[in-house]
Amino acid sequence: MDSRKVSASAHFLLAAVHVYWATGASWPASDERSLSLTVLNTQASFGPRVVLPLAALHLLLAGAVLTSARWRLSRLVVVGLVAGLAARAAVGLVWITGAIDTSTAFYWLNLFLYTPACVALCVADLKLLRARRPAAVDRPLLSDFLR
């Protein structure tokens, strides 16, 4: 599977998780407060008004990744995605050094899941941006058929 599909799949999965949370479910925690502390290390709402726009954002990002070889706007969106992933990975590395309480679930999820995933997706998306755009394919034009 190429890195474009892997990256897009990660965003589709994240969109699905956010839609799941919009139903009121709190997995992997027992309640919304615990979920918030586990995922964000702070208390925040996981209501539909918050998580559905995030799900839509992940769907947009997946679409941009999948179309980045064809559309310049998609490539620009992927540049923004790479910047965001790099920033999140950098902050995650600071947190790993003990800048936050190391006894929390968030610390361990950040250490073994969140930060490595951000680094991996950032590298995969950088690879997409560095790949040369395919040459334009010769497609018949309507005028070719009218001759």
Side-chain angles (χ1 to χ4, degrees):
M1 188 180 287
D2 70 9
S3 60
R4 190 177 317 282
K5 290 179 183 174
V6 171
S7 182
S9 295
H11 289 292
F12 282 127
L13 176 64
L14 288 168
V17 170
H18 283 82
V19 169
Y20 174 75
W21 286 333
T23 67
S26 60
W27 176 88
S30 57
D31 57 38
E32 186 176 311
R33 181 182 179 280
S34 299
L35 176 65
S36 179
L37 291 173
T38 299
V39 173
L40 301 172
N41 202 36
T42 190
Q43 268 191 270
S45 171
F46 273 70
R49 288 185 179 172
V50 175
V51 294
L52 286 178
L54 293 172
L57 174 64
H58 282 293
L59 290 175
L60 172 82
L61 293 171
V65 166
L66 288 174
T67 60
S68 63
R70 293 188 306 247
W71 297 341
R72 288 179 191 212
L73 179 59
S74 293
R75 288 179 69 79
L76 184 61
V77 170
V78 174
V79 167
L81 173 59
V82 166
L85 287 167
R88 171 56 182 87
V91 170
L93 291 172
V94 169
W95 288 332
I96 287 170
T97 63
I100 60 170
D101 183 4
T102 60
S103 67
T104 63
F106 175 82
Y107 175 82
W108 294 102
L109 286 169
N110 179 62
L111 177 63
F112 291 113
L113 179 63
Y114 304 152
T115 299
C118 286
V119 170
L121 285 171
C122 186
V123 169
D125 292 341
L126 270 173
K127 206 169 135 181
L128 296 177
L129 291 173
R130 294 190 64 200
R132 295 184 62 86
R133 290 181 61 182
V137 178
D138 285 333
R139 295 184 186 140
L141 300 173
L142 181 58
S143 60
D144 294 335
F145 293 107
L146 297 176
R147 285 188 203 169

